[in-house]
Protein backbone atom coordinates (compact mmCIF):
# COMPACT_ATOMS: atom_id res chain seq x y z
CA UNK A 1 0.00 0.00 0.00
CA UNK A 2 1.42 3.39 -0.93
CA UNK A 3 1.89 5.33 2.28
CA UNK A 4 0.47 8.53 0.87
CA UNK A 5 -2.98 6.96 0.57
CA UNK A 6 -4.75 6.00 3.77
CA UNK A 7 -7.75 3.78 3.27
CA UNK A 8 -9.10 4.23 6.75
CA UNK A 9 -10.25 7.22 8.76
CA UNK A 10 -8.02 7.80 11.85
CA UNK A 11 -4.92 6.53 9.98
CA UNK A 12 -2.55 9.10 8.50
CA UNK A 13 -1.34 11.13 11.52
CA UNK A 14 1.15 13.49 9.80
CA UNK A 15 3.10 14.46 12.93
CA UNK A 16 6.69 13.38 13.37
CA UNK A 17 6.32 11.69 16.75
CA UNK A 18 9.96 12.48 17.56
CA UNK A 19 10.04 9.73 20.14
CA UNK A 20 13.74 10.38 20.83
CA UNK A 21 12.72 13.75 22.32
CA UNK A 22 10.21 12.34 24.80
CA UNK A 23 12.97 11.32 27.20
CA UNK A 24 14.33 14.89 27.34
CA UNK A 25 12.14 16.73 29.91
CA UNK A 26 14.04 20.02 29.48
CA UNK A 27 13.48 19.97 25.73
CA UNK A 28 9.79 19.18 26.20
CA UNK A 29 9.42 21.98 28.80
CA UNK A 30 11.15 24.42 26.46
CA UNK A 31 8.82 23.51 23.61
CA UNK A 32 5.79 23.83 25.89
CA UNK A 33 6.83 27.42 26.71
CA UNK A 34 7.70 28.26 23.09
CA UNK A 35 5.13 30.80 21.74
CA UNK A 36 5.16 28.99 18.38
CA UNK A 37 4.04 25.65 19.91
CA UNK A 38 0.43 24.53 19.71
CA UNK A 39 -1.92 22.32 21.71
CA UNK A 40 -5.15 20.54 20.95
CA UNK A 41 -7.68 20.11 23.75
CA UNK A 42 -9.84 17.14 24.69
CA UNK A 43 -12.59 17.43 27.29
CA UNK A 44 -14.22 14.24 28.55
CA UNK A 45 -13.19 12.45 25.36
CA UNK A 46 -14.42 15.23 23.05
CA UNK A 47 -11.92 17.23 21.00
CA UNK A 48 -12.20 20.99 20.58
CA UNK A 49 -12.83 21.87 16.93
CA UNK A 50 -13.73 24.97 14.98
CA UNK A 51 -15.22 25.87 11.60
CA UNK A 52 -12.92 25.50 8.67
CA UNK A 53 -12.78 28.07 5.89
CA UNK A 54 -14.61 26.66 2.91
CA UNK A 55 -16.72 24.28 5.00
CA UNK A 56 -16.25 21.46 7.47
CA UNK A 57 -14.36 21.52 10.76
CA UNK A 58 -10.74 21.44 11.91
CA UNK A 59 -8.79 21.14 15.15
CA UNK A 60 -9.05 24.34 17.22
CA UNK A 61 -5.48 24.67 18.43
CA UNK A 62 -4.53 26.88 21.36
CA UNK A 63 -1.08 28.09 22.36
CA UNK A 64 0.89 25.33 24.07
CA UNK A 65 1.79 27.69 26.90
CA UNK A 66 -1.91 28.16 27.65
CA UNK A 67 -2.35 24.38 27.75
CA UNK A 68 0.62 24.23 30.12
CA UNK A 69 -1.10 26.70 32.47
CA UNK A 70 -4.38 24.79 32.38
CA UNK A 71 -2.72 21.41 32.82
CA UNK A 72 -1.86 21.59 36.51
CA UNK A 73 1.20 19.34 36.06
CA UNK A 74 2.30 16.58 33.69
CA UNK A 75 -0.72 14.30 34.21
CA UNK A 76 -2.91 16.16 31.73
CA UNK A 77 -0.29 16.92 29.07
CA UNK A 78 0.97 14.90 26.14
CA UNK A 79 3.73 15.75 23.69
CA UNK A 80 2.26 14.72 20.33
CA UNK A 81 5.23 15.41 18.06
CA UNK A 82 6.42 17.95 15.52
CA UNK A 83 4.53 19.44 12.58
CA UNK A 84 7.53 20.60 10.54
CA UNK A 85 9.25 22.84 13.16
CA UNK A 86 6.19 23.35 15.36
CA UNK A 87 5.80 21.29 18.53
CA UNK A 88 2.27 20.02 19.11
CA UNK A 89 0.87 19.07 22.52
CA UNK A 90 -2.46 17.71 23.72
CA UNK A 91 -4.29 18.77 26.88
CA UNK A 92 -6.77 16.48 28.64
CA UNK A 93 -9.47 18.35 30.55
CA UNK A 94 -11.19 15.16 31.76
CA UNK A 95 -13.54 15.92 34.63
CA UNK A 96 -13.20 19.71 34.40
CA UNK A 97 -16.20 22.06 34.26
CA UNK A 98 -17.23 22.93 30.68
CA UNK A 99 -14.13 24.75 29.41
CA UNK A 100 -16.17 26.49 26.70
CA UNK A 101 -17.80 28.45 29.54
CA UNK A 102 -14.42 29.14 31.11
CA UNK A 103 -10.87 29.76 29.98
CA UNK A 104 -11.44 28.47 26.43
CA UNK A 105 -14.59 30.53 25.82
CA UNK A 106 -14.96 31.45 22.17
CA UNK A 107 -11.98 29.35 21.06
CA UNK A 108 -13.90 26.35 19.74
CA UNK A 109 -16.59 23.75 20.46
CA UNK A 110 -16.30 20.23 21.89
CA UNK A 111 -17.63 17.49 19.64
CA UNK A 112 -17.85 13.72 19.76
CA UNK A 113 -14.93 12.53 17.60
CA UNK A 114 -16.99 9.87 15.82
CA UNK A 115 -19.65 12.43 14.93
CA UNK A 116 -17.22 15.01 13.57
CA UNK A 117 -14.54 12.70 12.09
CA UNK A 118 -15.77 12.72 8.49
CA UNK A 119 -16.16 16.49 8.69
CA UNK A 120 -12.44 16.90 9.50
CA UNK A 121 -9.43 16.80 7.19
CA UNK A 122 -7.96 13.27 7.37
CA UNK A 123 -4.77 14.38 9.15
CA UNK A 124 -6.79 16.19 11.85
CA UNK A 125 -8.95 13.11 12.49
CA UNK A 126 -5.80 10.99 12.81
CA UNK A 127 -4.08 13.41 15.21
CA UNK A 128 -7.19 13.50 17.41
CA UNK A 129 -7.50 9.71 17.33
CA UNK A 130 -3.94 9.45 18.65
CA UNK A 131 -4.56 11.94 21.47
CA UNK A 132 -7.88 10.37 22.42
CA UNK A 133 -6.40 6.86 22.53
CA UNK A 134 -3.56 8.08 24.75
CA UNK A 135 -5.93 9.83 27.16
CA UNK A 136 -8.26 6.82 27.30
CA UNK A 137 -5.23 4.71 28.21
CA UNK A 138 -4.20 7.15 30.92
CA UNK A 139 -7.70 7.33 32.34
CA UNK A 140 -7.76 3.56 32.86
CA UNK A 141 -4.13 3.22 34.01
CA UNK A 142 -3.56 5.64 36.86
CA UNK A 143 -2.42 2.79 39.10
CA UNK A 144 0.38 0.25 38.74
CA UNK A 145 -1.09 -3.12 37.71
CA UNK A 146 1.93 -4.88 39.24
CA UNK A 147 1.65 -3.53 42.81
CA UNK A 148 -1.41 -1.25 43.00
CA UNK A 149 0.47 2.00 43.78
CA UNK A 150 -0.45 5.24 41.94
CA UNK A 151 1.78 5.62 38.89
CA UNK A 152 3.20 8.83 37.38
CA UNK A 153 3.34 10.21 33.83
CA UNK A 154 6.79 10.23 32.23
CA UNK A 155 8.42 10.73 28.79
CA UNK A 156 6.11 13.51 27.66
CA UNK A 157 3.12 11.37 28.66
CA UNK A 158 4.09 8.22 26.70
CA UNK A 159 5.08 6.16 29.72
CA UNK A 160 3.90 5.72 33.29
CA UNK A 161 6.30 4.75 36.04
CA UNK A 162 5.49 3.27 39.42
CA UNK A 163 7.38 5.14 42.16
CA UNK A 164 6.96 2.15 44.48
CA UNK A 165 7.94 -0.99 42.52
CA UNK A 166 9.60 0.91 39.60
CA UNK A 167 7.55 -0.94 36.97
CA UNK A 168 7.26 0.87 33.65
CA UNK A 169 3.93 0.93 31.82
CA UNK A 170 3.46 1.73 28.15
CA UNK A 171 0.31 2.63 26.20
CA UNK A 172 -1.93 -0.32 25.51
CA UNK A 173 -3.24 -1.15 22.05
CA UNK A 174 -5.68 -4.05 21.62
CA UNK A 175 -5.54 -5.85 18.27
CA UNK A 176 -8.99 -6.66 16.92
CA UNK A 177 -9.52 -8.83 13.86
CA UNK A 178 -12.38 -7.69 11.64
CA UNK A 179 -13.13 -9.79 8.61
CA UNK A 180 -15.32 -10.26 5.60
CA UNK A 181 -15.94 -13.99 5.06
CA UNK A 182 -16.30 -14.77 1.36
CA UNK A 183 -17.18 -17.88 -0.62
CA UNK A 184 -16.63 -17.45 -4.32
CA UNK A 185 -18.89 -14.66 -5.51
CA UNK A 186 -20.72 -14.19 -2.19
CA UNK A 187 -19.79 -12.61 1.12
CA UNK A 188 -21.20 -13.05 4.62
CA UNK A 189 -22.30 -10.21 6.88
CA UNK A 190 -23.74 -10.38 10.36
CA UNK A 191 -26.04 -8.25 12.44
CA UNK A 192 -26.18 -7.71 16.17
CA UNK A 193 -29.60 -7.36 17.79
CA UNK A 194 -28.63 -3.96 19.20
CA UNK A 195 -27.90 -2.42 15.79
CA UNK A 196 -30.37 -0.24 13.88
CA UNK A 197 -32.84 -2.32 11.85
CA UNK A 198 -31.41 -3.73 8.63
CA UNK A 199 -27.77 -2.98 9.49
CA UNK A 200 -25.23 -5.62 8.49
CA UNK A 201 -21.49 -5.53 9.02
CA UNK A 202 -18.28 -7.53 9.06
CA UNK A 203 -17.57 -10.04 11.85
CA UNK A 204 -15.01 -9.05 14.48
CA UNK A 205 -13.39 -9.90 17.80
CA UNK A 206 -10.33 -9.34 19.97
CA UNK A 207 -7.19 -11.25 19.16
CA UNK A 208 -6.13 -13.38 22.15
CA UNK A 209 -2.68 -14.24 23.53
CA UNK A 210 -1.06 -17.03 21.55
CA UNK A 211 -2.91 -16.31 18.31
CA UNK A 212 -1.62 -15.20 14.94
CA UNK A 213 -3.89 -12.79 13.04
CA UNK A 214 -5.00 -15.66 10.78
CA UNK A 215 -5.88 -17.92 13.72
CA UNK A 216 -7.88 -15.20 15.46
CA UNK A 217 -9.75 -14.57 12.20
CA UNK A 218 -10.59 -18.26 11.77
CA UNK A 219 -11.68 -18.58 15.42
CA UNK A 220 -14.01 -15.58 15.22
CA UNK A 221 -15.61 -16.83 12.00
CA UNK A 222 -16.05 -20.26 13.60
CA UNK A 223 -17.50 -18.84 16.81
CA UNK A 224 -19.87 -16.38 15.16
CA UNK A 225 -21.02 -18.30 12.08
CA UNK A 226 -19.95 -21.95 12.45
CA UNK A 227 -17.90 -21.84 9.24
CA UNK A 228 -14.34 -23.06 8.71
CA UNK A 229 -11.79 -20.73 7.15
CA UNK A 230 -9.73 -21.79 4.15
CA UNK A 231 -7.49 -18.73 3.72
CA UNK A 232 -7.04 -15.21 5.05
CA UNK A 233 -5.90 -12.09 3.21
CA UNK A 234 -4.74 -8.91 4.96
CA UNK A 235 -6.40 -5.71 3.76
CA UNK A 236 -5.54 -2.74 6.02
CA UNK A 237 -5.61 -1.49 9.61
CA UNK A 238 -7.43 1.29 11.38
CA UNK A 239 -6.54 2.85 14.75
CA UNK A 240 -9.83 2.92 16.69
CA UNK A 241 -9.65 4.90 19.95
CA UNK A 242 -12.69 3.27 21.63
CA UNK A 243 -10.81 2.97 23.85
CA UNK A 244 -7.63 1.49 22.42
CA UNK A 245 -8.24 -0.85 19.49
CA UNK A 246 -6.24 -1.57 16.38
CA UNK A 247 -8.72 -2.85 13.82
CA UNK A 248 -6.99 -5.38 11.55
CA UNK A 249 -9.06 -5.72 8.40
CA UNK A 250 -9.11 -9.11 6.63
CA UNK A 251 -10.88 -10.86 3.78
CA UNK A 252 -11.27 -14.58 4.45
CA UNK A 253 -12.36 -17.34 2.10
CA UNK A 254 -14.51 -19.88 3.95
CA UNK A 255 -15.28 -23.53 3.29
CA UNK A 256 -18.62 -25.05 2.36
CA UNK A 257 -21.22 -25.42 5.09
CA UNK A 258 -24.25 -23.69 6.51
CA UNK A 259 -23.68 -20.35 8.21
CA UNK A 260 -25.48 -20.13 11.55
CA UNK A 261 -25.32 -17.07 13.82
CA UNK A 262 -24.05 -17.76 17.34
CA UNK A 263 -27.06 -15.92 18.88
CA UNK A 264 -24.76 -14.47 21.54
CA UNK A 265 -23.06 -11.84 19.47
CA UNK A 266 -25.05 -12.12 16.25
CA UNK A 267 -28.77 -12.61 15.73
CA UNK A 268 -28.45 -13.11 11.98
CA UNK A 269 -25.87 -13.82 9.28
CA UNK A 270 -26.69 -13.23 5.63
CA UNK A 271 -25.01 -13.91 2.31
CA UNK A 272 -24.74 -11.13 -0.28
CA UNK A 273 -23.69 -11.50 -3.90
CA UNK A 274 -20.93 -9.25 -5.13
CA UNK A 275 -23.48 -7.06 -6.89
CA UNK A 276 -25.66 -6.85 -3.78
CA UNK A 277 -22.64 -5.95 -1.69
CA UNK A 278 -21.71 -3.21 -4.16
CA UNK A 279 -25.23 -1.80 -3.99
CA UNK A 280 -25.28 -2.18 -0.19
CA UNK A 281 -22.06 -0.29 0.38
CA UNK A 282 -23.26 2.50 -1.89
CA UNK A 283 -26.43 2.79 0.17
CA UNK A 284 -28.94 1.50 -2.35
CA UNK A 285 -30.02 -1.97 -1.21
CA UNK A 286 -33.66 -1.91 0.00
CA UNK A 287 -34.06 -3.03 3.62
CA UNK A 288 -30.34 -3.45 4.28
CA UNK A 289 -27.51 -1.10 5.06
CA UNK A 290 -23.81 -1.26 5.81
CA UNK A 291 -21.71 0.87 8.18
CA UNK A 292 -20.62 4.24 6.80
CA UNK A 293 -17.20 5.29 5.58
CA UNK A 294 -15.89 5.84 9.11
CA UNK A 295 -15.75 2.09 9.68
CA UNK A 296 -13.10 -0.24 8.28
CA UNK A 297 -15.98 -2.70 7.70
CA UNK A 298 -17.23 -0.33 4.99
CA UNK A 299 -13.80 -0.36 3.32
CA UNK A 300 -13.57 -4.17 3.49
CA UNK A 301 -16.97 -4.69 1.86
CA UNK A 302 -16.22 -2.02 -0.73
CA UNK A 303 -12.80 -3.45 -1.58
CA UNK A 304 -14.21 -6.92 -2.13
CA UNK A 305 -17.41 -5.80 -3.88
CA UNK A 306 -15.61 -3.55 -6.32
CA UNK A 307 -12.65 -5.85 -6.98
CA UNK B 1 -2.36 -18.04 3.64
CA UNK B 2 -3.74 -21.58 3.99
CA UNK B 3 -4.57 -22.10 7.64
CA UNK B 4 -3.08 -25.55 7.75
CA UNK B 5 0.41 -24.18 7.19
CA UNK B 6 1.87 -21.99 9.91
CA UNK B 7 4.95 -20.09 8.87
CA UNK B 8 5.92 -19.08 12.37
CA UNK B 9 6.81 -21.01 15.51
CA UNK B 10 4.28 -20.37 18.33
CA UNK B 11 1.41 -20.01 15.82
CA UNK B 12 -0.88 -23.00 15.25
CA UNK B 13 -2.42 -23.69 18.67
CA UNK B 14 -4.78 -26.60 17.81
CA UNK B 15 -7.05 -26.28 20.85
CA UNK B 16 -10.65 -25.17 20.46
CA UNK B 17 -10.58 -22.28 22.92
CA UNK B 18 -14.31 -22.76 23.60
CA UNK B 19 -14.57 -19.21 24.84
CA UNK B 20 -18.33 -19.61 25.35
CA UNK B 21 -17.55 -22.09 28.16
CA UNK B 22 -15.27 -19.75 30.11
CA UNK B 23 -18.22 -17.93 31.62
CA UNK B 24 -19.67 -21.17 33.02
CA UNK B 25 -17.80 -21.79 36.31
CA UNK B 26 -19.71 -25.01 37.03
CA UNK B 27 -18.77 -26.47 33.65
CA UNK B 28 -15.12 -25.47 34.16
CA UNK B 29 -15.08 -27.00 37.67
CA UNK B 30 -16.62 -30.21 36.34
CA UNK B 31 -14.00 -30.45 33.60
CA UNK B 32 -11.23 -29.79 36.11
CA UNK B 33 -12.42 -32.77 38.19
CA UNK B 34 -12.93 -35.00 35.12
CA UNK B 35 -10.29 -37.80 35.18
CA UNK B 36 -9.94 -37.47 31.40
CA UNK B 37 -8.91 -33.80 31.57
CA UNK B 38 -5.27 -32.77 31.30
CA UNK B 39 -3.11 -29.91 32.50
CA UNK B 40 0.23 -28.52 31.42
CA UNK B 41 2.46 -26.95 34.05
CA UNK B 42 4.59 -23.81 33.93
CA UNK B 43 7.04 -23.00 36.70
CA UNK B 44 8.61 -19.52 36.75
CA UNK B 45 7.94 -19.16 33.04
CA UNK B 46 9.34 -22.60 32.17
CA UNK B 47 7.02 -25.31 30.82
CA UNK B 48 7.26 -28.91 31.97
CA UNK B 49 8.23 -31.16 29.06
CA UNK B 50 9.26 -34.76 28.59
CA UNK B 51 11.07 -36.89 26.01
CA UNK B 52 9.07 -37.76 22.94
CA UNK B 53 9.15 -41.20 21.41
CA UNK B 54 11.29 -41.05 18.31
CA UNK B 55 13.26 -38.00 19.51
CA UNK B 56 12.61 -34.46 20.60
CA UNK B 57 10.38 -33.26 23.41
CA UNK B 58 6.68 -32.80 24.08
CA UNK B 59 4.42 -31.28 26.73
CA UNK B 60 4.40 -33.40 29.90
CA UNK B 61 0.71 -33.30 30.79
CA UNK B 62 -0.57 -34.19 34.25
CA UNK B 63 -4.13 -34.97 35.29
CA UNK B 64 -6.19 -31.78 35.54
CA UNK B 65 -7.43 -32.85 38.99
CA UNK B 66 -3.82 -32.90 40.23
CA UNK B 67 -3.32 -29.38 38.86
CA UNK B 68 -6.50 -28.37 40.67
CA UNK B 69 -5.10 -29.66 43.96
CA UNK B 70 -1.77 -27.86 43.45
CA UNK B 71 -3.41 -24.63 42.33
CA UNK B 72 -4.64 -23.33 45.67
CA UNK B 73 -7.58 -21.51 44.03
CA UNK B 74 -8.38 -19.94 40.68
CA UNK B 75 -5.39 -17.60 40.56
CA UNK B 76 -3.00 -20.26 39.27
CA UNK B 77 -5.35 -22.06 36.89
CA UNK B 78 -6.27 -21.38 33.29
CA UNK B 79 -8.78 -23.20 31.10
CA UNK B 80 -6.96 -23.56 27.78
CA UNK B 81 -9.70 -25.16 25.69
CA UNK B 82 -10.67 -28.52 24.25
CA UNK B 83 -8.54 -31.01 22.36
CA UNK B 84 -11.34 -32.95 20.64
CA UNK B 85 -13.34 -34.02 23.76
CA UNK B 86 -10.54 -33.53 26.28
CA UNK B 87 -10.43 -30.38 28.40
CA UNK B 88 -6.95 -28.90 28.77
CA UNK B 89 -5.89 -26.64 31.64
CA UNK B 90 -2.67 -24.86 32.55
CA UNK B 91 -1.19 -24.53 36.03
CA UNK B 92 1.15 -21.69 36.98
CA UNK B 93 3.61 -22.61 39.73
CA UNK B 94 5.26 -19.15 39.74
CA UNK B 95 7.29 -18.68 42.90
CA UNK B 96 6.91 -22.26 44.14
CA UNK B 97 9.85 -24.40 45.25
CA UNK B 98 11.22 -26.59 42.45
CA UNK B 99 8.22 -28.83 41.70
CA UNK B 100 10.48 -31.45 40.12
CA UNK B 101 11.78 -32.07 43.66
CA UNK B 102 8.25 -32.17 45.01
CA UNK B 103 4.81 -33.26 43.87
CA UNK B 104 5.77 -33.46 40.19
CA UNK B 105 8.92 -35.52 40.75
CA UNK B 106 9.62 -37.81 37.85
CA UNK B 107 6.82 -36.40 35.69
CA UNK B 108 8.93 -34.13 33.50
CA UNK B 109 11.59 -31.42 33.39
CA UNK B 110 11.23 -27.63 33.28
CA UNK B 111 12.84 -25.98 30.26
CA UNK B 112 13.13 -22.47 28.90
CA UNK B 113 10.47 -22.29 26.16
CA UNK B 114 12.73 -20.53 23.69
CA UNK B 115 15.43 -23.16 24.15
CA UNK B 116 13.10 -26.11 23.70
CA UNK B 117 10.64 -24.64 21.15
CA UNK B 118 12.23 -26.05 18.00
CA UNK B 119 12.50 -29.42 19.72
CA UNK B 120 8.72 -29.57 20.25
CA UNK B 121 5.94 -30.44 17.80
CA UNK B 122 4.55 -27.16 16.42
CA UNK B 123 1.18 -27.54 18.16
CA UNK B 124 2.87 -28.09 21.55
CA UNK B 125 5.01 -24.97 21.11
CA UNK B 126 1.89 -22.95 20.26
CA UNK B 127 -0.10 -24.27 23.24
CA UNK B 128 2.77 -23.42 25.59
CA UNK B 129 3.15 -19.95 24.05
CA UNK B 130 -0.52 -19.27 24.79
CA UNK B 131 -0.23 -20.43 28.41
CA UNK B 132 2.99 -18.54 28.98
CA UNK B 133 1.59 -15.30 27.54
CA UNK B 134 -1.48 -15.60 29.79
CA UNK B 135 0.60 -16.20 32.91
CA UNK B 136 2.96 -13.34 32.07
CA UNK B 137 -0.09 -11.09 31.76
CA UNK B 138 -1.44 -12.29 35.08
CA UNK B 139 1.90 -11.82 36.80
CA UNK B 140 1.99 -8.15 35.80
CA UNK B 141 -1.72 -7.45 36.34
CA UNK B 142 -2.63 -8.55 39.84
CA UNK B 143 -3.94 -5.07 40.65
CA UNK B 144 -6.62 -2.93 39.03
CA UNK B 145 -5.01 -0.22 36.89
CA UNK B 146 -8.12 1.93 37.29
CA UNK B 147 -8.23 2.12 41.10
CA UNK B 148 -5.26 0.15 42.50
CA UNK B 149 -7.28 -2.55 44.30
CA UNK B 150 -6.24 -6.23 44.03
CA UNK B 151 -8.15 -7.85 41.14
CA UNK B 152 -9.48 -11.41 40.91
CA UNK B 153 -9.30 -14.08 38.20
CA UNK B 154 -12.57 -14.81 36.40
CA UNK B 155 -13.85 -16.65 33.29
CA UNK B 156 -11.50 -19.61 33.59
CA UNK B 157 -8.58 -17.19 33.96
CA UNK B 158 -9.29 -15.10 30.83
CA UNK B 159 -10.53 -12.03 32.65
CA UNK B 160 -9.70 -10.18 35.85
CA UNK B 161 -12.35 -8.26 37.74
CA UNK B 162 -11.84 -5.55 40.34
CA UNK B 163 -14.05 -6.23 43.38
CA UNK B 164 -13.80 -2.57 44.35
CA UNK B 165 -14.51 -0.47 41.22
CA UNK B 166 -15.92 -3.39 39.15
CA UNK B 167 -13.57 -2.69 36.23
CA UNK B 168 -12.98 -5.67 33.92
CA UNK B 169 -9.49 -6.37 32.63
CA UNK B 170 -8.66 -8.55 29.64
CA UNK B 171 -5.35 -10.09 28.54
CA UNK B 172 -2.98 -7.62 26.97
CA UNK B 173 -1.31 -8.21 23.60
CA UNK B 174 1.20 -5.65 22.32
CA UNK B 175 1.44 -5.34 18.53
CA UNK B 176 5.04 -5.06 17.32
CA UNK B 177 5.92 -4.27 13.72
CA UNK B 178 8.97 -6.14 12.44
CA UNK B 179 10.05 -5.41 8.91
CA UNK B 180 12.54 -6.11 6.20
CA UNK B 181 13.29 -2.90 4.30
CA UNK B 182 14.04 -3.63 0.64
CA UNK B 183 15.17 -1.54 -2.31
CA UNK B 184 14.99 -3.40 -5.58
CA UNK B 185 17.32 -6.38 -5.33
CA UNK B 186 18.77 -5.46 -1.92
CA UNK B 187 17.47 -5.63 1.64
CA UNK B 188 18.55 -3.81 4.77
CA UNK B 189 19.35 -5.50 8.07
CA UNK B 190 20.45 -3.93 11.33
CA UNK B 191 22.48 -5.00 14.31
CA UNK B 192 22.24 -4.04 17.94
CA UNK B 193 25.46 -3.62 19.90
CA UNK B 194 24.30 -6.21 22.44
CA UNK B 195 23.87 -8.98 19.86
CA UNK B 196 26.50 -11.68 19.23
CA UNK B 197 29.19 -10.52 16.79
CA UNK B 198 28.11 -10.58 13.16
CA UNK B 199 24.38 -11.00 13.87
CA UNK B 200 21.99 -9.01 11.67
CA UNK B 201 18.23 -8.97 11.80
CA UNK B 202 15.07 -7.17 10.72
CA UNK B 203 14.14 -3.79 12.21
CA UNK B 204 11.32 -3.70 14.75
CA UNK B 205 9.40 -1.66 17.29
CA UNK B 206 6.13 -1.36 19.17
CA UNK B 207 3.11 0.02 17.35
CA UNK B 208 1.81 3.13 19.14
CA UNK B 209 -1.74 4.38 19.72
CA UNK B 210 -3.11 6.14 16.63
CA UNK B 211 -0.96 4.22 14.16
CA UNK B 212 -1.92 1.84 11.40
CA UNK B 213 0.47 -1.07 10.84
CA UNK B 214 1.85 0.69 7.76
CA UNK B 215 2.50 3.94 9.62
CA UNK B 216 4.25 2.18 12.48
CA UNK B 217 6.42 0.35 9.94
CA UNK B 218 7.37 3.58 8.17
CA UNK B 219 8.11 5.34 11.47
CA UNK B 220 10.38 2.56 12.72
CA UNK B 221 12.32 2.46 9.45
CA UNK B 222 12.68 6.26 9.58
CA UNK B 223 13.78 6.25 13.22
CA UNK B 224 16.23 3.40 12.93
CA UNK B 225 17.72 3.94 9.47
CA UNK B 226 16.72 7.43 8.25
CA UNK B 227 15.00 6.00 5.17
CA UNK B 228 11.53 6.86 3.83
CA UNK B 229 9.10 4.04 3.08
CA UNK B 230 7.36 3.78 -0.28
CA UNK B 231 5.12 0.76 0.34
CA UNK B 232 4.45 -1.95 2.90
CA UNK B 233 3.44 -5.57 2.34
CA UNK B 234 2.04 -7.82 5.09
CA UNK B 235 3.76 -11.20 5.44
CA UNK B 236 2.61 -13.05 8.59
CA UNK B 237 2.31 -12.77 12.35
CA UNK B 238 3.88 -14.59 15.27
CA UNK B 239 2.62 -14.70 18.86
CA UNK B 240 5.68 -13.93 21.00
CA UNK B 241 5.14 -14.45 24.73
CA UNK B 242 8.04 -12.23 25.95
CA UNK B 243 5.94 -11.13 27.65
CA UNK B 244 2.95 -10.38 25.43
CA UNK B 245 3.91 -9.38 21.89
CA UNK B 246 2.24 -10.01 18.57
CA UNK B 247 4.99 -9.78 15.97
CA UNK B 248 3.56 -8.40 12.73
CA UNK B 249 5.96 -9.29 9.92
CA UNK B 250 6.24 -6.89 6.97
CA UNK B 251 8.32 -6.37 3.86
CA UNK B 252 8.73 -2.68 3.02
CA UNK B 253 10.09 -1.06 -0.11
CA UNK B 254 12.10 2.05 0.80
CA UNK B 255 13.01 5.16 -1.18
CA UNK B 256 16.46 6.27 -2.29
CA UNK B 257 18.78 7.74 0.31
CA UNK B 258 21.61 6.76 2.60
CA UNK B 259 20.79 4.36 5.40
CA UNK B 260 22.24 5.52 8.72
CA UNK B 261 21.80 3.61 11.99
CA UNK B 262 20.19 5.62 14.79
CA UNK B 263 22.98 4.60 17.23
CA UNK B 264 20.41 4.28 20.01
CA UNK B 265 18.88 0.99 19.01
CA UNK B 266 21.18 0.02 16.14
CA UNK B 267 24.95 0.35 15.85
CA UNK B 268 25.01 -0.68 12.20
CA UNK B 269 22.74 -1.15 9.19
CA UNK B 270 23.92 -3.13 6.19
CA UNK B 271 22.58 -3.85 2.72
CA UNK B 272 22.52 -7.44 1.43
CA UNK B 273 21.85 -8.56 -2.12
CA UNK B 274 19.17 -11.17 -2.64
CA UNK B 275 21.85 -13.82 -3.10
CA UNK B 276 23.71 -12.74 0.03
CA UNK B 277 20.46 -12.79 1.98
CA UNK B 278 19.75 -16.31 0.75
CA UNK B 279 23.19 -17.46 1.80
CA UNK B 280 22.87 -15.60 5.12
CA UNK B 281 19.58 -17.18 6.08
CA UNK B 282 20.93 -20.61 5.23
CA UNK B 283 23.88 -19.99 7.55
CA UNK B 284 26.64 -19.75 4.99
CA UNK B 285 27.67 -16.09 4.75
CA UNK B 286 31.17 -15.60 6.24
CA UNK B 287 31.24 -13.12 9.13
CA UNK B 288 27.49 -12.56 9.18
CA UNK B 289 24.53 -14.47 10.56
CA UNK B 290 20.77 -14.11 10.80
CA UNK B 291 18.40 -15.17 13.60
CA UNK B 292 17.40 -18.84 13.58
CA UNK B 293 14.09 -20.34 12.53
CA UNK B 294 12.42 -19.51 15.84
CA UNK B 295 12.31 -15.83 14.86
CA UNK B 296 9.86 -14.30 12.40
CA UNK B 297 12.83 -12.21 11.18
CA UNK B 298 14.28 -15.43 9.77
CA UNK B 299 11.05 -16.14 7.88
CA UNK B 300 10.89 -12.58 6.51
CA UNK B 301 14.43 -12.67 5.16
CA UNK B 302 13.90 -16.16 3.78
CA UNK B 303 10.61 -15.25 2.08
CA UNK B 304 12.14 -12.25 0.34
CA UNK B 305 15.47 -13.92 -0.49
CA UNK B 306 13.87 -17.00 -1.99
CA UNK B 307 11.04 -15.21 -3.82
Amino acid sequence: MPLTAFTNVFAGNPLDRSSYARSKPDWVAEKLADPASLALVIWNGKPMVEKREGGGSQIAYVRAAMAGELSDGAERLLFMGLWKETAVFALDLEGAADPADGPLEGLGRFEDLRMVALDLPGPDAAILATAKAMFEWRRRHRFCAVCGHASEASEGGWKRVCPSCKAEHFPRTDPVVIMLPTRGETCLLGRQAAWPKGTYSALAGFLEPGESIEEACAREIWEESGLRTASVRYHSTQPWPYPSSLMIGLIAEVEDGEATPDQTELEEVRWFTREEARTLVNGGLPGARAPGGLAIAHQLIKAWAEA
Side-chain angles (χ1 to χ4, degrees), chain A residues 236-252:
Chain A
S236 63
T237 48
Q238 179 182 40
W240 190 249
Y242 299 96
S244 54
S245 293
L246 175 72
M247 309 299 288
I248 303 175
L250 308 161
I251 295 176

Side-chain angles (χ1 to χ4, degrees), chain A residues 148-211:
Chain A
H149 199 282
S151 60
E152 294 168 358
S154 171
E155 303 223 343
W158 291 87
K159 189 165 98 174
R160 298 188 70 81
V161 178
C162 176
S164 176
C165 78
K166 311 300 176 198
E168 298 185 329
H169 301 280
F170 293 91
R172 171 170 174 149
T173 299
D174 294 308
V176 172
V177 287
I178 177 164
M179 73 291 299
L180 183 70
T182 61
R183 189 191 287 154
E185 289 301 299
T186 59
C187 73
L188 189 76
L189 297 177
R191 64 166 272 104
Q192 296 181 14
W195 290 348
K197 194 167 179 302
T199 302
Y200 294 85
S201 188
L203 313 188
F206 287 100
L207 180 139
E208 294 191 345
E211 284 183 322

